[in-house]
Amino acid sequence: MLNYTNVLKKIESTGNKSWLVGDTVRMLEMGIQPDLITLAIDNKDLYSVAMALDSSNSFTVDARGSHPALRGEISGVKFRAFSLRGETIEDDLACRDLSIEAIAIRSDGGIVDPFGGRFDIRNKVIRLTGDNVGLIKEDPLRILRMLRFAAELEMDIFWKSSSDVRKFLESHADTLKDIPAERWGREIIKGISRRPCRFIEMCNDYDLIPFFLQPLEDLKDVPDGAGGNLFDHVLKTLYAIEKRIDTHKIMQTQAFILAGLFSRVGTDQLSVKMRKKTADRMVEEILTGWNIPSEVIEEVLEISRSYRRFYEPMSEELLCREVLEYDATAVEIALEFALCIAQIEGFRPGYKEALEENHWNLQQVLRRFNAVTLQTEGADRYLTGREVMSLLNMKPGKRVGELLNALDMAVGTGKVSSRARAEEWLKAQI
């Protein structure tokens, strides 16, 4: 806490009051040390605060968005600071959605907690601040933010907040229907980023899914061939993905999680080998409406279309080609996705062995490419195109690119493991 209060005191030395607020205080109360702290300052002119802190402009003001932020570092602590919303810290806290985010810490260590947020943190409860119904009417998507925090922090919804939300949904369905798809998408993406299965389960409990993803709701009526339905199949897929997010940092990607969420959207049976074009168009249309980048949408579709190829044994050479065509991360994610689906559907004969063999072979390919980076201090090839031309006395042209691609294959399959061997290999190709 000492370093954090030093930041407050440094800012207050310029004649401005400041407080730790929001996610920073919530994390500290939960015993988590934040890498970036959030502050509130009682000055509407953040540029003047930046100049008062340091005239050399090492502190900057990010004016993008509706709330400009002063950013910088003091005593080794990175921070972002916003102007108070309202005239007092109590006014500012009253503007926040949840009690656990409506706590402030003064520079002397004193606590400002008008909504009992610390009590709720200790009791693992998510509660809306102030007038629940009024907050929801003001912005119905506060419901999703409430569920997101509950899912991510593994907390329960306070009974009154839950009751008020359900009453609102019963009588204001049209209000939710009028919310633009882009706003739904922004909240859904945040919601599924850490605990996708729990978040979607909570959305389902509040009957929210038809408002943002009706095709997913429709899967409840489609049998999965194993006594359940395809909606349950999606939840199981998301649960398997959720477990991998905890243990594999590389799996914390939008495409991997969205592929799970949309894994059965538009399909009518579990044994479909390849997604129909109509299903792909449906997924693309929904994700475009959510304002998901086109490259992420393509990754989602590619995972869904091609993950089943890993149920057959693949040689190192074939996996190397995949890595060079799609990049290592994309291939790793597709293989992990295949493993998720195989686990929840029950390993069919030969699937487990093929997946294990493919995983081993892929790791060997990636290990060899990583060795290049280590040996060359960061380069992804032993030789550049210019070096190839000099070595072989060649002019620029298509042949140089072909040789470099062939060299990549030789590296990935273990035929070349050093710069010297790369030169020998290239000379042997002429």
Side-chain angles (χ1 to χ4, degrees):
M1 177 64 72
L2 180 61
N3 281 342
Y4 303 143
T5 55
N6 281 347
V7 176
L8 297 177
K9 289 175 180 177
K10 174 67 174 178
I11 291 175
E12 293 190 347
S13 70
T14 66
N16 300 284
K17 289 185 178 180
S18 63
W19 299 261
L20 294 174
V21 293
D23 56 345
T24 298
V25 181
R26 186 253 302 163
M27 291 172 72
L28 291 173
E29 289 289 332
M30 296 177 69
I32 302 170
Q33 299 300 312
D35 296 324
L36 173 72
I37 65 173
T38 304
L39 315 176
I41 300 178
D42 71 340
N43 190 329
K44 304 301 181 185
D45 184 3
L46 294 179
Y47 290 98
S48 67
V49 179
M51 290 298 295
L53 285 169
D54 187 351
S55 60
S56 67
N57 296 322
S58 60
F59 297 90
T60 60
V61 176
D62 182 354
R64 294 172 295 179
S66 56
H67 300 290
L70 169 64
R71 299 179 185 274
E73 184 175 326
I74 295 174
S75 300
V77 178
K78 294 180 180 179
F79 73 90
R80 59 180 181 178
F82 301 91
S83 296
L84 281 179
R85 287 178 282 181
E87 298 303 316
T88 66
I89 186 60
E90 288 78 12
D91 292 339
D92 183 277
L93 298 179
C95 294
R96 300 174 186 271
D97 297 344
L98 306 175
S99 64
I100 63 172
E101 296 279 295
I103 314 168
I105 298 178
R106 300 192 303 263
S107 60
D108 62 3
I111 305 292
V112 184
D113 184 14
F115 301 102
R118 288 188 300 165
F119 178 85
D120 289 340
I121 289 172
R122 289 194 294 271
N123 287 279
K124 298 182 73 67
V125 169
I126 296 294
R127 182 163 53 88
L128 292 166
T129 58
D131 178 1
N132 292 347
V133 176
L135 280 171
I136 298 168
K137 285 182 177 179
E138 193 175 285
D139 183 3
L141 286 185
R142 283 192 166 107
I143 299 171
L144 285 187
R145 288 195 280 277
M146 178 182 74
L147 299 183
R148 170 166 63 92
F149 274 90
E152 184 173 326
L153 301 177
E154 298 184 345
M155 292 183 172
D156 296 320
I157 305 296
F158 183 62
W159 69 269
K160 187 176 185 305
S161 294
S162 178
S163 177
D164 288 344
V165 165
R166 294 184 189 280
K167 288 178 181 177
F168 176 84
L169 293 174
E170 288 175 2
S171 56
H172 293 80
D174 290 342
T175 303
L176 274 73
K177 291 177 181 177
D178 292 337
I179 296 174
E182 181 180 350
R183 291 200 64 212
W184 279 108
R186 188 159 56 243
E187 296 300 330
I188 298 303
I189 292 299
K190 292 177 182 177
I192 65 175
S193 63
R194 292 296 303 278
R195 292 287 182 267
C197 180
R198 179 168 164 79
F199 176 72
I200 294 299
E201 283 180 327
M202 297 186 80
C203 288
N204 183 51
D205 183 50
Y206 283 84
D207 296 320
L208 284 168
I209 293 176
F211 293 106
F212 63 84
L213 194 50
Q214 180 62 47
L216 178 60
E217 179 76 12
D218 293 341
L219 295 180
K220 293 178 180 179
D221 298 323
V222 183
D224 66 358
N229 59 60
L230 289 187
F231 179 83
D232 293 332
H233 187 279
V234 171
L235 289 181
K236 291 175 184 177
T237 302
L238 290 175
Y239 183 73
I241 287 173
E242 192 171 293
K243 292 303 178 185
R244 279 163 175 73
I245 291 173
D246 285 337
T247 57
H248 297 71
K249 187 174 182 180
I250 195 173
M251 299 307 156
Q252 296 176 10
T253 65
Q254 276 191 14
F256 184 52
I257 300 170
L258 285 170
L261 180 61
F262 285 85
S263 59
R264 294 299 162 191
V265 166
T267 63
D268 58 1
Q269 57 182 350
L270 193 61
S271 60
V272 173
K273 290 185 177 180
M274 184 173 287
R275 297 174 60 84
K276 297 179 181 178
K277 291 183 179 179
T278 52
D280 284 355
R281 283 198 297 269
M282 180 186 296
V283 172
E284 186 172 5
E285 182 179 337
I286 293 169
L287 291 179
T288 299
W290 287 5
N291 203 27
I292 302 299
S294 58
E295 59 270 22
V296 175
I297 296 175
E298 185 52 41
E299 289 175 24
V300 171
L301 295 176
E302 182 58 32
I303 292 170
S304 301
R305 294 184 194 118
S306 59
Y307 72 88
R308 290 182 178 274
R309 70 189 186 276
F310 292 104
Y311 294 153
E312 297 289 337
M314 301 173 71
S315 66
E316 286 189 3
E317 182 175 356
L318 182 54
L319 286 165
C320 184
R321 291 187 186 281
E322 295 260 333
V323 169
L324 293 174
E325 182 175 357
Y326 299 109
D327 86 43
T329 300
V331 178
E332 285 187 278
I333 288 174
L335 178 54
E336 283 292 331
F337 192 81
L339 182 59
C340 289
I341 298 295
Q343 283 180 330
I344 64 174
E345 293 180 3
F347 287 105
R348 300 180 185 180
Y351 279 17
K352 185 175 183 180
E353 293 77 10
L355 285 164
E356 289 177 348
E357 180 180 342
N358 291 336
H359 183 270
W360 169 260
N361 287 340
L362 177 61
Q363 293 310 305
Q364 301 316 301
V365 171
L366 298 182
R367 176 181 58 78
R368 292 167 188 143
F369 283 128
N370 289 336
V372 176
T373 302
L374 293 173
Q375 292 179 39
T376 60
E377 299 183 352
D380 57 2
R381 281 174 168 154
Y382 286 120
L383 297 166
T384 65
R386 187 179 297 277
E387 288 171 329
V388 170
M389 288 187 288
S390 175
L391 179 69
L392 303 179
N393 194 26
M394 297 177 64
K395 294 181 179 180
K398 181 180 178 181
R399 180 59 176 157
V400 176
E402 292 174 345
L403 285 171
L404 285 171
N405 292 336
L407 178 58
D408 288 338
M409 281 294 300
V411 170
T413 53
K415 297 173 184 176
V416 170
S417 57
S418 67
R419 179 186 174 94
R421 184 70 187 92
E423 292 180 355
E424 292 174 7
W425 184 88
L426 280 169
K427 290 176 181 177
Q429 308 308 305
I430 302 302

